[in-house]
Amino acid sequence: MALAVRAPRFQPRPASVSAPASTSSLAAAANARSRAGAAVRASAASPFTEATSSSRYRRDAWSYAADGSSKPASSSSSSDAAAAAAAVAAAGRRDDEIALQLPELRRLLDALRASRGRGAEGEGGAGGPGRVALVGTGPGDPELLTLKAVRAIEAADLVLYDRLVSNDVLDLVGEGARLLYVSKTAGYHSRTQEEIHELLLSFAEAGANVVRLKGGDPLVFGRGGEEMDFLQQQGIRVEVIPGITSASGIAAELGIPLTHRGVATSVRFLTGHSRNGGTDPLYVAGNAADPDTTLVVYMGLSTLPSLASKLMKHGLPPDTPAVAVERGTTPQQRMVFSLLKDLVDEVKSADLVSPTLIIIGKVVSLSPFWVDSSEHDALKIENSYVSEAR
């Protein structure tokens, strides 16, 4: 079907239910959006922090300081350190990059302990342990942050952030705070999960106010539960500040009700990740193919061919409406609407990249962006529901 870029904002469906626009006019609109999408893709930088992005190294430059000082490095030395670290990361030498950071991380930890009257081992002194806040930042649009999340970000001493935390959100971090990139992406883990646990624990024990920023919601495919459990077992106070998960934020952006009376009676969130990093989704049960359930697939680009095939094999109709949304809720949003049977080819043709969220279900055709004229057209679904209600 059609590739489209983000419209200014969700526009409600017109009140009248006259006949849908002609196929030719819909196709023309779709083609226009497709051309616009290509232009946006070519000219716009990612709204998120990529593993080797210049914005990431500018933020993290302090952690590569080589002058032996715990004070922030000068702009020139920061630039040199960031450039060196970027070259190391680009070459794939993860261990070397972390080794470059460790001396400055230790100095910062010692400085925090000293400022709170603690010894080198974190014992004695009047200050108690700090706290850790696991903060959800939503799907990318900074206006979707909660007030509680903004306050926590502004008050942080140290911010550990993921790739899917948008640059606009990171701009809210206070000037005195330190930022450290700890994302895990396919083929590039800046830190293992165990190392992240130890960083959170060490700085919290030193009395720091640590904020762990996660895209979406920390407890929805964000491994926030693991971090919370680990820290609580070590006696660290943990606060979870929920974020708008991508399913809710992106569905709202596209005008897709995840549940709708007479159309979808439930919604199910699936991870598209394979536990072993392969092309098969982690788990697909027969009841995931329920036509009355909306499926939302996180991180599902690599496993989409297998997932779509298994869903249809389990009985989900091939003409079920679906949409794949890249970088949802940001100005760089791109989306592909399609029937399930064509979704893999359409996504491949559009060359969508991560992060992409996939929504599968009859409710997709209720979106004002749905341009298919098949039997699943939104107007026909609505008219059918009205008839049943009568």
Side-chain angles (χ1 to χ4, degrees), residues 177-311:
R178 302 298 183 103
L179 292 99
L180 188 64
Y181 181 79
V182 293
S183 187
K184 301 182 294 298
T185 58
Y188 182 91
H189 284 197
S190 63
R191 301 277 171 177
T192 66
Q193 189 63 46
E194 290 72 22
E195 287 169 337
I196 294 171
H197 287 171
E198 291 302 324
L199 282 167
L200 292 170
L201 176 62
S202 295
F203 282 96
E205 285 182 333
N209 183 11
V210 184
V211 167
R212 174 77 165 101
L213 293 184
K214 294 174 175 287
D217 183 273
L219 304 183
V220 179
F221 300 127
R223 304 191 73 170
E226 297 173 43
E227 294 170 3
M228 178 174 60
D229 182 58
F230 171 80
L231 292 167
Q232 287 176 338
Q233 288 187 30
Q234 307 303 317
I236 300 299
R237 183 162 59 95
V238 181
E239 179 182 19
V240 178
I241 300 177
I244 294 178
T245 188
S246 296
S248 296
I250 293 173
E253 180 74 21
L254 303 187
I256 298 173
L258 293 176
T259 61
H260 191 80
R261 187 178 180 190
V263 180
T265 57
S266 64
V267 58
R268 182 170 182 172
F269 296 167
L270 300 176
T271 173
H273 269 180
S274 171
R275 181 172 285 122
N276 297 319
T279 58
D280 280 332
L282 186 61
Y283 176 74
V284 177
N287 58 9
D290 179 5
D292 295 325
T293 294
T294 303
L295 297 179
V296 182
V297 186
Y298 291 69
M299 306 165 289
L301 272 183
S302 62
T303 59
L304 179 59
S306 178
L307 174 67
S309 175
K310 288 184 176 181
L311 288 173

Side-chain angles (χ1 to χ4, degrees), residues 26-342:
L26 290 173
N31 289 334
R33 286 196 295 269
S34 180
R35 289 192 294 272
V40 169
R41 175 75 180 281
S43 62
S46 173
F48 302 107
T49 300
E50 303 299 336
T52 56
S53 68
S54 59
S55 61
R56 176 216 156 175
Y57 288 109
R58 282 195 300 271
R59 294 188 186 102
D60 294 3
W62 67 271
S63 64
Y64 302 101
D67 61 1
S69 171
S70 60
K71 297 179 180 179
S74 66
S75 59
S76 59
S77 62
S78 292
S79 298
D80 292 343
V88 169
R93 302 199 300 273
R94 170 189 172 275
D95 291 340
D96 289 352
E97 182 183 5
I98 291 178
L100 285 172
Q101 290 178 315
L102 285 177
E104 188 65 12
L105 287 172
R106 292 194 183 103
R107 283 192 287 270
L108 176 61
L109 192 58
D110 289 342
L112 284 168
R113 287 169 175 159
S115 69
R116 289 160 174 78
R118 291 174 168 272
E121 299 301 320
E123 298 177 352
R131 69 184 182 92
V132 174
L134 306 179
V135 180
T137 63
D141 184 348
E143 294 183 356
L144 295 179
L145 283 172
T146 65
L147 292 174
K148 194 170 187 178
V150 171
R151 294 189 186 107
I153 292 170
E154 292 175 340
D157 296 319
L158 178 68
V159 175
L160 277 62
Y161 66 100
D162 281 348
R163 173 199 172 209
L164 296 184
V165 177
S166 72
N167 293 315
D168 287 339
V169 170
L170 291 172
D171 287 342
L172 299 173
V173 176
E175 291 184 2
R178 302 298 183 103
L179 292 99
L180 188 64
Y181 181 79
V182 293
S183 187
K184 301 182 294 298
T185 58
Y188 182 91
H189 284 197
S190 63
R191 301 277 171 177
T192 66
Q193 189 63 46
E194 290 72 22
E195 287 169 337
I196 294 171
H197 287 171
E198 291 302 324
L199 282 167
L200 292 170
L201 176 62
S202 295
F203 282 96
E205 285 182 333
N209 183 11
V210 184
V211 167
R212 174 77 165 101
L213 293 184
K214 294 174 175 287
D217 183 273
L219 304 183
V220 179
F221 300 127
R223 304 191 73 170
E226 297 173 43
E227 294 170 3
M228 178 174 60
D229 182 58
F230 171 80
L231 292 167
Q232 287 176 338
Q233 288 187 30
Q234 307 303 317
I236 300 299
R237 183 162 59 95
V238 181
E239 179 182 19
V240 178
I241 300 177
I244 294 178
T245 188
S246 296
S248 296
I250 293 173
E253 180 74 21
L254 303 187
I256 298 173
L258 293 176
T259 61
H260 191 80
R261 187 178 180 190
V263 180
T265 57
S266 64
V267 58
R268 182 170 182 172
F269 296 167
L270 300 176
T271 173
H273 269 180
S274 171
R275 181 172 285 122
N276 297 319
T279 58
D280 280 332
L282 186 61
Y283 176 74
V284 177
N287 58 9
D290 179 5
D292 295 325
T293 294
T294 303
L295 297 179
V296 182
V297 186
Y298 291 69
M299 306 165 289
L301 272 183
S302 62
T303 59
L304 179 59
S306 178
L307 174 67
S309 175
K310 288 184 176 181
L311 288 173
M312 289 185 285
K313 181 179 179 180
H314 280 296
L316 195 62
D319 56 357
T320 300
V323 62
V325 189
E326 173 194 309
R327 300 186 287 192
T329 78
T330 74
Q332 294 82 4
Q333 173 177 292
R334 300 195 309 146
M335 49 195 174
V336 171
F337 285 84
S338 172
L339 301 178
L340 177 59
K341 62 184 178 65
D342 302 320

